[in-house]
PDB file of all heavy atoms in Angstrom:
ATOM      1  N   HIS A 594      14.255   5.382  17.352  1.00 88.00           N
ATOM      2  CA  HIS A 594      15.051   6.046  18.390  1.00 88.00           C
ATOM      3  C   HIS A 594      15.679   7.344  17.872  1.00 88.00           C
ATOM      4  O   HIS A 594      16.429   7.990  18.586  1.00 88.00           O
ATOM      5  CB  HIS A 594      16.131   5.092  18.910  1.00 88.00           C
ATOM      6  CG  HIS A 594      15.577   3.913  19.648  1.00 88.00           C
ATOM      7  ND1 HIS A 594      15.467   3.878  21.022  1.00 88.00           N
ATOM      8  CD2 HIS A 594      15.046   2.739  19.199  1.00 88.00           C
ATOM      9  CE1 HIS A 594      14.919   2.722  21.390  1.00 88.00           C
ATOM     10  NE2 HIS A 594      14.661   2.018  20.304  1.00 88.00           N
ATOM     11  N   PHE A 595      15.382   7.714  16.622  1.00 87.00           N
ATOM     12  CA  PHE A 595      15.859   8.964  16.042  1.00 87.00           C
ATOM     13  C   PHE A 595      14.719   9.976  15.984  1.00 87.00           C
ATOM     14  O   PHE A 595      13.558   9.605  15.814  1.00 87.00           O
ATOM     15  CB  PHE A 595      16.364   8.737  14.610  1.00 87.00           C
ATOM     16  CG  PHE A 595      17.591   7.880  14.500  1.00 87.00           C
ATOM     17  CD1 PHE A 595      17.495   6.493  14.470  1.00 87.00           C
ATOM     18  CD2 PHE A 595      18.847   8.450  14.402  1.00 87.00           C
ATOM     19  CE1 PHE A 595      18.617   5.692  14.351  1.00 87.00           C
ATOM     20  CE2 PHE A 595      19.984   7.667  14.283  1.00 87.00           C
ATOM     21  CZ  PHE A 595      19.868   6.283  14.266  1.00 87.00           C
ATOM     22  N   TRP A 596      15.041  11.245  16.096  1.00 88.00           N
ATOM     23  CA  TRP A 596      14.044  12.288  15.877  1.00 88.00           C
ATOM     24  C   TRP A 596      14.740  13.599  15.543  1.00 88.00           C
ATOM     25  O   TRP A 596      15.918  13.795  15.868  1.00 88.00           O
ATOM     26  CB  TRP A 596      13.121  12.459  17.089  1.00 88.00           C
ATOM     27  CG  TRP A 596      13.778  13.062  18.311  1.00 88.00           C
ATOM     28  CD1 TRP A 596      13.816  14.380  18.667  1.00 88.00           C
ATOM     29  CD2 TRP A 596      14.492  12.364  19.340  1.00 88.00           C
ATOM     30  NE1 TRP A 596      14.494  14.559  19.844  1.00 88.00           N
ATOM     31  CE2 TRP A 596      14.929  13.332  20.282  1.00 88.00           C
ATOM     32  CE3 TRP A 596      14.817  11.018  19.551  1.00 88.00           C
ATOM     33  CZ2 TRP A 596      15.659  12.983  21.411  1.00 88.00           C
ATOM     34  CZ3 TRP A 596      15.551  10.692  20.686  1.00 88.00           C
ATOM     35  CH2 TRP A 596      15.949  11.665  21.591  1.00 88.00           C
ATOM     36  N   PHE A 597      14.025  14.464  14.863  1.00 89.00           N
ATOM     37  CA  PHE A 597      14.533  15.802  14.606  1.00 89.00           C
ATOM     38  C   PHE A 597      14.384  16.633  15.871  1.00 89.00           C
ATOM     39  O   PHE A 597      13.276  16.765  16.417  1.00 89.00           O
ATOM     40  CB  PHE A 597      13.793  16.471  13.450  1.00 89.00           C
ATOM     41  CG  PHE A 597      14.213  15.980  12.102  1.00 89.00           C
ATOM     42  CD1 PHE A 597      13.336  15.287  11.286  1.00 89.00           C
ATOM     43  CD2 PHE A 597      15.499  16.227  11.635  1.00 89.00           C
ATOM     44  CE1 PHE A 597      13.722  14.838  10.040  1.00 89.00           C
ATOM     45  CE2 PHE A 597      15.898  15.781  10.387  1.00 89.00           C
ATOM     46  CZ  PHE A 597      15.011  15.086   9.591  1.00 89.00           C
ATOM     47  N   SER A 598      15.474  17.238  16.312  1.00 90.00           N
ATOM     48  CA  SER A 598      15.471  17.963  17.578  1.00 90.00           C
ATOM     49  C   SER A 598      14.449  19.093  17.595  1.00 90.00           C
ATOM     50  O   SER A 598      13.832  19.388  18.628  1.00 90.00           O
ATOM     51  CB  SER A 598      16.875  18.526  17.860  1.00 90.00           C
ATOM     52  OG  SER A 598      17.845  17.495  17.823  1.00 90.00           O
ATOM     53  N   ALA A 599      14.246  19.751  16.455  1.00 91.00           N
ATOM     54  CA  ALA A 599      13.327  20.886  16.393  1.00 91.00           C
ATOM     55  C   ALA A 599      11.868  20.471  16.548  1.00 91.00           C
ATOM     56  O   ALA A 599      10.996  21.337  16.732  1.00 91.00           O
ATOM     57  CB  ALA A 599      13.515  21.649  15.079  1.00 91.00           C
ATOM     58  N   LEU A 600      11.580  19.177  16.451  1.00 89.00           N
ATOM     59  CA  LEU A 600      10.195  18.716  16.611  1.00 89.00           C
ATOM     60  C   LEU A 600       9.878  18.352  18.057  1.00 89.00           C
ATOM     61  O   LEU A 600       8.809  17.815  18.343  1.00 89.00           O
ATOM     62  CB  LEU A 600       9.925  17.526  15.684  1.00 89.00           C
ATOM     63  CG  LEU A 600      10.070  17.823  14.188  1.00 89.00           C
ATOM     64  CD1 LEU A 600       9.644  16.622  13.364  1.00 89.00           C
ATOM     65  CD2 LEU A 600       9.262  19.056  13.785  1.00 89.00           C
ATOM     66  N   ASN A 601      10.789  18.650  18.969  1.00 92.00           N
ATOM     67  CA  ASN A 601      10.513  18.511  20.398  1.00 92.00           C
ATOM     68  C   ASN A 601       9.623  19.685  20.810  1.00 92.00           C
ATOM     69  O   ASN A 601      10.074  20.827  20.885  1.00 92.00           O
ATOM     70  CB  ASN A 601      11.826  18.537  21.184  1.00 92.00           C
ATOM     71  CG  ASN A 601      11.619  18.356  22.676  1.00 92.00           C
ATOM     72  OD1 ASN A 601      10.517  18.504  23.198  1.00 92.00           O
ATOM     73  ND2 ASN A 601      12.690  18.054  23.386  1.00 92.00           N
ATOM     74  N   THR A 602       8.353  19.424  21.065  1.00 93.00           N
ATOM     75  CA  THR A 602       7.395  20.510  21.307  1.00 93.00           C
ATOM     76  C   THR A 602       7.541  21.127  22.689  1.00 93.00           C
ATOM     77  O   THR A 602       6.823  22.082  23.013  1.00 93.00           O
ATOM     78  CB  THR A 602       5.949  20.016  21.105  1.00 93.00           C
ATOM     79  OG1 THR A 602       5.707  18.881  21.939  1.00 93.00           O
ATOM     80  CG2 THR A 602       5.711  19.636  19.657  1.00 93.00           C
ATOM     81  N   ASN A 603       8.454  20.617  23.507  1.00 93.00           N
ATOM     82  CA  ASN A 603       8.754  21.295  24.764  1.00 93.00           C
ATOM     83  C   ASN A 603       9.658  22.498  24.538  1.00 93.00           C
ATOM     84  O   ASN A 603       9.777  23.357  25.404  1.00 93.00           O
ATOM     85  CB  ASN A 603       9.423  20.321  25.737  1.00 93.00           C
ATOM     86  CG  ASN A 603       8.482  19.235  26.211  1.00 93.00           C
ATOM     87  OD1 ASN A 603       7.465  19.523  26.820  1.00 93.00           O
ATOM     88  ND2 ASN A 603       8.822  17.989  25.905  1.00 93.00           N
ATOM     89  N   ARG A 604      10.305  22.546  23.389  1.00 94.00           N
ATOM     90  CA  ARG A 604      11.184  23.650  23.051  1.00 94.00           C
ATOM     91  C   ARG A 604      10.409  24.731  22.297  1.00 94.00           C
ATOM     92  O   ARG A 604       9.344  24.467  21.724  1.00 94.00           O
ATOM     93  CB  ARG A 604      12.338  23.165  22.163  1.00 94.00           C
ATOM     94  CG  ARG A 604      13.247  22.132  22.794  1.00 94.00           C
ATOM     95  CD  ARG A 604      14.283  21.655  21.782  1.00 94.00           C
ATOM     96  NE  ARG A 604      15.026  22.777  21.209  1.00 94.00           N
ATOM     97  CZ  ARG A 604      15.728  22.692  20.066  1.00 94.00           C
ATOM     98  NH1 ARG A 604      15.743  21.565  19.388  1.00 94.00           N
ATOM     99  NH2 ARG A 604      16.387  23.745  19.615  1.00 94.00           N
ATOM    100  N   ARG A 605      10.950  25.946  22.303  1.00 95.00           N
ATOM    101  CA  ARG A 605      10.362  27.022  21.496  1.00 95.00           C
ATOM    102  C   ARG A 605      10.923  26.888  20.079  1.00 95.00           C
ATOM    103  O   ARG A 605      11.960  27.454  19.732  1.00 95.00           O
ATOM    104  CB  ARG A 605      10.698  28.388  22.094  1.00 95.00           C
ATOM    105  CG  ARG A 605       9.946  28.729  23.366  1.00 95.00           C
ATOM    106  CD  ARG A 605      10.171  30.184  23.784  1.00 95.00           C
ATOM    107  NE  ARG A 605      11.581  30.436  24.076  1.00 95.00           N
ATOM    108  CZ  ARG A 605      12.135  30.305  25.277  1.00 95.00           C
ATOM    109  NH1 ARG A 605      11.387  29.925  26.309  1.00 95.00           N
ATOM    110  NH2 ARG A 605      13.423  30.540  25.464  1.00 95.00           N
ATOM    111  N   CYS A 606      10.237  26.105  19.267  1.00 95.00           N
ATOM    112  CA  CYS A 606      10.652  25.856  17.887  1.00 95.00           C
ATOM    113  C   CYS A 606       9.450  26.046  16.967  1.00 95.00           C
ATOM    114  O   CYS A 606       8.327  25.633  17.297  1.00 95.00           O
ATOM    115  CB  CYS A 606      11.189  24.440  17.714  1.00 95.00           C
ATOM    116  SG  CYS A 606      12.690  24.080  18.647  1.00 95.00           S
ATOM    117  N   VAL A 607       9.683  26.644  15.824  1.00 95.00           N
ATOM    118  CA  VAL A 607       8.627  26.836  14.838  1.00 95.00           C
ATOM    119  C   VAL A 607       9.257  26.747  13.458  1.00 95.00           C
ATOM    120  O   VAL A 607      10.387  27.200  13.246  1.00 95.00           O
ATOM    121  CB  VAL A 607       7.912  28.193  15.027  1.00 95.00           C
ATOM    122  CG1 VAL A 607       8.888  29.358  14.950  1.00 95.00           C
ATOM    123  CG2 VAL A 607       6.785  28.368  14.016  1.00 95.00           C
ATOM    124  N   GLY A 608       8.537  26.126  12.527  1.00 92.00           N
ATOM    125  CA  GLY A 608       9.118  25.990  11.199  1.00 92.00           C
ATOM    126  C   GLY A 608       8.094  25.666  10.141  1.00 92.00           C
ATOM    127  O   GLY A 608       6.903  25.516  10.409  1.00 92.00           O
ATOM    128  N   VAL A 609       8.607  25.547   8.930  1.00 94.00           N
ATOM    129  CA  VAL A 609       7.752  25.392   7.757  1.00 94.00           C
ATOM    130  C   VAL A 609       8.327  24.318   6.851  1.00 94.00           C
ATOM    131  O   VAL A 609       9.550  24.218   6.678  1.00 94.00           O
ATOM    132  CB  VAL A 609       7.656  26.724   6.978  1.00 94.00           C
ATOM    133  CG1 VAL A 609       6.956  26.530   5.646  1.00 94.00           C
ATOM    134  CG2 VAL A 609       6.913  27.772   7.803  1.00 94.00           C
ATOM    135  N   SER A 610       7.449  23.513   6.281  1.00 90.00           N
ATOM    136  CA  SER A 610       7.800  22.610   5.198  1.00 90.00           C
ATOM    137  C   SER A 610       7.044  23.076   3.965  1.00 90.00           C
ATOM    138  O   SER A 610       5.806  22.983   3.910  1.00 90.00           O
ATOM    139  CB  SER A 610       7.422  21.169   5.546  1.00 90.00           C
ATOM    140  OG  SER A 610       7.751  20.296   4.487  1.00 90.00           O
ATOM    141  N   CYS A 611       7.763  23.641   3.012  1.00 88.00           N
ATOM    142  CA  CYS A 611       7.133  24.228   1.824  1.00 88.00           C
ATOM    143  C   CYS A 611       7.017  23.179   0.724  1.00 88.00           C
ATOM    144  O   CYS A 611       8.011  22.848   0.060  1.00 88.00           O
ATOM    145  CB  CYS A 611       7.942  25.428   1.336  1.00 88.00           C
ATOM    146  SG  CYS A 611       7.981  26.813   2.490  1.00 88.00           S
ATOM    147  N   MET A 612       5.822  22.656   0.541  1.00 85.00           N
ATOM    148  CA  MET A 612       5.563  21.680  -0.517  1.00 85.00           C
ATOM    149  C   MET A 612       4.663  22.301  -1.580  1.00 85.00           C
ATOM    150  O   MET A 612       3.741  21.676  -2.091  1.00 85.00           O
ATOM    151  CB  MET A 612       4.935  20.420   0.076  1.00 85.00           C
ATOM    152  CG  MET A 612       5.855  19.706   1.050  1.00 85.00           C
ATOM    153  SD  MET A 612       5.267  18.073   1.538  1.00 85.00           S
ATOM    154  CE  MET A 612       3.907  18.536   2.601  1.00 85.00           C
ATOM    155  N   ASN A 613       4.947  23.570  -1.893  1.00 82.00           N
ATOM    156  CA  ASN A 613       4.068  24.318  -2.775  1.00 82.00           C
ATOM    157  C   ASN A 613       4.264  24.002  -4.244  1.00 82.00           C
ATOM    158  O   ASN A 613       3.608  24.611  -5.093  1.00 82.00           O
ATOM    159  CB  ASN A 613       4.241  25.829  -2.536  1.00 82.00           C
ATOM    160  CG  ASN A 613       5.685  26.262  -2.417  1.00 82.00           C
ATOM    161  OD1 ASN A 613       6.459  25.640  -1.703  1.00 82.00           O
ATOM    162  ND2 ASN A 613       6.043  27.334  -3.089  1.00 82.00           N
ATOM    163  N   ARG A 614       5.139  23.052  -4.566  1.00 80.00           N
ATOM    164  CA  ARG A 614       5.315  22.674  -5.971  1.00 80.00           C
ATOM    165  C   ARG A 614       4.817  21.252  -6.267  1.00 80.00           C
ATOM    166  O   ARG A 614       4.988  20.775  -7.386  1.00 80.00           O
ATOM    167  CB  ARG A 614       6.785  22.800  -6.367  1.00 80.00           C
ATOM    168  CG  ARG A 614       7.333  24.216  -6.226  1.00 80.00           C
ATOM    169  CD  ARG A 614       8.743  24.333  -6.782  1.00 80.00           C
ATOM    170  NE  ARG A 614       9.332  25.621  -6.471  1.00 80.00           N
ATOM    171  CZ  ARG A 614       9.121  26.738  -7.168  1.00 80.00           C
ATOM    172  NH1 ARG A 614       8.313  26.708  -8.210  1.00 80.00           N
ATOM    173  NH2 ARG A 614       9.698  27.867  -6.815  1.00 80.00           N
ATOM    174  N   ILE A 615       4.238  20.588  -5.291  1.00 83.00           N
ATOM    175  CA  ILE A 615       3.786  19.226  -5.549  1.00 83.00           C
ATOM    176  C   ILE A 615       2.544  19.254  -6.446  1.00 83.00           C
ATOM    177  O   ILE A 615       1.722  20.166  -6.370  1.00 83.00           O
ATOM    178  CB  ILE A 615       3.487  18.475  -4.240  1.00 83.00           C
ATOM    179  CG1 ILE A 615       2.360  19.143  -3.454  1.00 83.00           C
ATOM    180  CG2 ILE A 615       4.722  18.358  -3.389  1.00 83.00           C
ATOM    181  CD1 ILE A 615       1.958  18.362  -2.227  1.00 83.00           C
ATOM    182  N   PRO A 616       2.378  18.260  -7.308  1.00 86.00           N
ATOM    183  CA  PRO A 616       1.285  18.266  -8.293  1.00 86.00           C
ATOM    184  C   PRO A 616      -0.035  17.775  -7.707  1.00 86.00           C
ATOM    185  O   PRO A 616      -0.639  16.820  -8.200  1.00 86.00           O
ATOM    186  CB  PRO A 616       1.814  17.341  -9.384  1.00 86.00           C
ATOM    187  CG  PRO A 616       2.677  16.366  -8.650  1.00 86.00           C
ATOM    188  CD  PRO A 616       3.317  17.142  -7.525  1.00 86.00           C
ATOM    189  N   ILE A 617      -0.499  18.443  -6.671  1.00 89.00           N
ATOM    190  CA  ILE A 617      -1.667  17.964  -5.939  1.00 89.00           C
ATOM    191  C   ILE A 617      -2.964  18.104  -6.741  1.00 89.00           C
ATOM    192  O   ILE A 617      -3.938  17.401  -6.496  1.00 89.00           O
ATOM    193  CB  ILE A 617      -1.760  18.712  -4.586  1.00 89.00           C
ATOM    194  CG1 ILE A 617      -2.756  18.048  -3.638  1.00 89.00           C
ATOM    195  CG2 ILE A 617      -2.077  20.168  -4.775  1.00 89.00           C
ATOM    196  CD1 ILE A 617      -2.703  18.600  -2.231  1.00 89.00           C
ATOM    197  N   TYR A 618      -2.970  18.999  -7.731  1.00 92.00           N
ATOM    198  CA  TYR A 618      -4.190  19.228  -8.524  1.00 92.00           C
ATOM    199  C   TYR A 618      -4.064  18.716  -9.961  1.00 92.00           C
ATOM    200  O   TYR A 618      -4.832  19.122 -10.826  1.00 92.00           O
ATOM    201  CB  TYR A 618      -4.533  20.721  -8.534  1.00 92.00           C
ATOM    202  CG  TYR A 618      -5.006  21.227  -7.184  1.00 92.00           C
ATOM    203  CD1 TYR A 618      -4.131  21.861  -6.314  1.00 92.00           C
ATOM    204  CD2 TYR A 618      -6.325  21.044  -6.770  1.00 92.00           C
ATOM    205  CE1 TYR A 618      -4.553  22.313  -5.062  1.00 92.00           C
ATOM    206  CE2 TYR A 618      -6.756  21.480  -5.531  1.00 92.00           C
ATOM    207  CZ  TYR A 618      -5.866  22.112  -4.679  1.00 92.00           C
ATOM    208  OH  TYR A 618      -6.291  22.548  -3.446  1.00 92.00           O
ATOM    209  N   ASP A 619      -3.124  17.818 -10.218  1.00 90.00           N
ATOM    210  CA  ASP A 619      -2.885  17.358 -11.591  1.00 90.00           C
ATOM    211  C   ASP A 619      -3.621  16.077 -11.947  1.00 90.00           C
ATOM    212  O   ASP A 619      -3.533  15.625 -13.087  1.00 90.00           O
ATOM    213  CB  ASP A 619      -1.382  17.146 -11.814  1.00 90.00           C
ATOM    214  CG  ASP A 619      -0.615  18.456 -11.904  1.00 90.00           C
ATOM    215  OD1 ASP A 619      -1.251  19.523 -11.752  1.00 90.00           O
ATOM    216  OD2 ASP A 619       0.607  18.412 -12.125  1.00 90.00           O
ATOM    217  N   ALA A 620      -4.320  15.476 -11.003  1.00 93.00           N
ATOM    218  CA  ALA A 620      -4.943  14.172 -11.244  1.00 93.00           C
ATOM    219  C   ALA A 620      -6.282  14.327 -11.957  1.00 93.00           C
ATOM    220  O   ALA A 620      -7.341  14.368 -11.328  1.00 93.00           O
ATOM    221  CB  ALA A 620      -5.127  13.417  -9.934  1.00 93.00           C
ATOM    222  N   ASP A 621      -6.251  14.447 -13.277  1.00 94.00           N
ATOM    223  CA  ASP A 621      -7.456  14.542 -14.106  1.00 94.00           C
ATOM    224  C   ASP A 621      -7.742  13.171 -14.697  1.00 94.00           C
ATOM    225  O   ASP A 621      -7.067  12.721 -15.623  1.00 94.00           O
ATOM    226  CB  ASP A 621      -7.248  15.580 -15.208  1.00 94.00           C
ATOM    227  CG  ASP A 621      -8.496  15.789 -16.072  1.00 94.00           C
ATOM    228  OD1 ASP A 621      -9.463  15.012 -15.909  1.00 94.00           O
ATOM    229  OD2 ASP A 621      -8.498  16.703 -16.913  1.00 94.00           O
ATOM    230  N   PHE A 622      -8.744  12.486 -14.179  1.00 94.00           N
ATOM    231  CA  PHE A 622      -9.101  11.147 -14.626  1.00 94.00           C
ATOM    232  C   PHE A 622      -9.976  11.155 -15.886  1.00 94.00           C
ATOM    233  O   PHE A 622     -10.409  10.105 -16.336  1.00 94.00           O
ATOM    234  CB  PHE A 622      -9.837  10.392 -13.516  1.00 94.00           C
ATOM    235  CG  PHE A 622      -8.964  10.020 -12.351  1.00 94.00           C
ATOM    236  CD1 PHE A 622      -8.812  10.885 -11.271  1.00 94.00           C
ATOM    237  CD2 PHE A 622      -8.290   8.815 -12.322  1.00 94.00           C
ATOM    238  CE1 PHE A 622      -8.009  10.552 -10.185  1.00 94.00           C
ATOM    239  CE2 PHE A 622      -7.482   8.465 -11.242  1.00 94.00           C
ATOM    240  CZ  PHE A 622      -7.336   9.339 -10.173  1.00 94.00           C
ATOM    241  N   GLY A 623     -10.227  12.332 -16.438  1.00 93.00           N
ATOM    242  CA  GLY A 623     -11.086  12.465 -17.603  1.00 93.00           C
ATOM    243  C   GLY A 623     -12.369  13.204 -17.294  1.00 93.00           C
ATOM    244  O   GLY A 623     -13.206  13.418 -18.166  1.00 93.00           O
TER     245      GLY A 623
END
Side-chain angles (χ1 to χ4, degrees):
H594 293 264
F595 294 85
W596 70 93
F597 283 115
S598 305
L600 298 186
N601 182 343
T602 55
N603 292 299
R604 298 176 54 198
R605 287 189 298 269
C606 296
V607 57
V609 171
S610 179
C611 295
M612 297 190 288
N613 44 313
R614 299 187 188 277
I615 62 175
I617 193 170
Y618 290 97
D619 288 2
D621 183 352
F622 290 90

